[in-house]
Amino acid sequence: YMGHVSSIVGAAYTQEKYGTGPRFTPMEKERQEEAVKFLIDNAFQRPDMFLDDEILFRIESEGAVARIRTAQARVLGQLMNQARLDRLVEYGALEDTDDVYTLIDLMDDMREGLFGEFNDRTVRTDIYRRNLQRAYLNALDQRLNPSEEDLNRPPSRFNPPATAPWTTDARAVIRSELSAIDQMAAQGIGSAGDEMTRLHLEDLRIEIDRILSTDR
């Protein structure tokens, strides 16, 4: 279901008009904003309904943390799909940006939704939040630094080949986004409410530096 919601971002309406008008119309900015907010409020929150230890320890000795991490990373991968980011860039270039949801809008919403607590007076993160934030950095890393295998992959309908990052505005936007998250993490270190949160914030900064240093 979260995949269906993700598909709204960067989407367009299509109608077979055969010369009577535009066939494709970018989806309304408001609807895309609502889709991202839904994901932030549902897919990217701690799913307490699945974390009842009275039930979990009856059926397994471990696995809940990894299972949630994998599920959230999958949704992030769908949302950060290269074709989707490319459409957001293109629609922003072709249309009036006041009425179109752009890649910058997506990054702003994701930063606030996934890292907003870094601005709190006392910063605390649990293991699910930390895994989510690391998964987001990994998704941006894959877009900014695609592997040679991805760059050379034959195109297909559902799995387009990766585009060299320097050929699109997405590179500048992602680099700016990583720098903004780094600044938030730096400010949050002094307000960390526990040792694990402090270590996590420091680790995020190291990982961001690695991603930006790897960028070709």
Side-chain angles (χ1 to χ4, degrees):
Y1 184 75
M2 296 300 170
H4 289 297
V5 179
S6 298
S7 68
I8 293 174
V9 181
Y13 297 106
T14 176
Q15 295 185 15
E16 301 295 342
K17 294 187 176 182
Y18 298 103
T20 61
R23 177 182 171 187
F24 298 99
T25 304
M27 195 163 289
E28 301 90 343
K29 180 177 182 178
E30 182 180 3
R31 188 175 182 196
Q32 295 186 62
E33 289 174 334
E34 291 175 349
V36 174
K37 185 178 186 305
F38 181 91
L39 292 173
I40 289 171
D41 292 344
N42 294 276
F44 302 143
Q45 297 297 327
R46 173 189 168 108
D48 289 330
M49 70 178 74
F50 300 130
L51 298 174
D52 187 339
D53 57 10
E54 290 292 327
I55 296 176
L56 290 175
F57 287 134
R58 291 172 181 259
I59 59 176
E60 60 184 6
S61 61
E62 61 179 333
V65 172
R67 186 162 51 247
I68 292 169
R69 179 181 64 236
T70 299
Q72 291 182 327
R74 183 182 302 114
V75 178
L76 282 172
Q78 294 169 334
L79 190 59
M80 295 292 120
N81 176 276
Q82 180 179 301
R84 192 181 319 283
L85 301 190
D86 288 344
R87 287 195 300 272
L88 289 172
V89 170
E90 183 161 344
Y91 293 162
L94 296 176
E95 299 286 329
D96 182 348
T97 54
D98 289 337
D99 299 321
V100 174
Y101 194 68
T102 68
L103 180 56
I104 293 176
D105 292 328
L106 174 61
M107 293 297 170
D108 287 346
D109 290 342
M110 293 294 288
R111 186 187 332 119
E112 177 61 28
L114 271 58
F115 300 90
E117 67 269 24
F118 291 180
N119 294 321
D120 293 346
R121 178 172 297 180
T122 300
V123 181
R124 295 183 185 275
T125 58
D126 63 18
I127 190 170
Y128 305 100
R129 191 68 167 178
R130 293 192 293 270
N131 281 341
L132 173 65
Q133 291 166 351
R134 285 189 285 260
Y136 183 63
L137 293 189
N138 184 63
L140 295 183
D141 186 19
Q142 291 177 352
R143 298 284 72 81
L144 198 60
N145 301 305
S147 67
E148 291 298 325
E149 180 181 357
D150 288 336
L151 288 172
N152 296 322
R153 186 177 62 241
S156 67
R157 178 181 177 186
F158 299 105
N159 196 20
T163 301
W166 54 84
T167 65
T168 170
D169 282 350
R171 173 180 177 172
V173 175
I174 293 173
R175 287 177 64 88
S176 176
E177 175 67 9
L178 288 167
S179 296
I181 295 171
D182 179 62
Q183 292 176 10
M184 293 175 68
Q187 294 172 2
I189 289 175
S191 303
D194 56 74
E195 183 68 4
M196 193 63 240
T197 295
R198 183 184 67 79
L199 293 175
H200 171 63
L201 293 173
E202 293 176 349
D203 181 62
L204 288 182
R205 299 202 67 203
I206 293 171
E207 180 64 7
I208 289 171
D209 182 66
R210 181 197 68 77
I211 295 171
L212 293 176
S213 297
T214 305
D215 179 23
R216 298 187 282 275

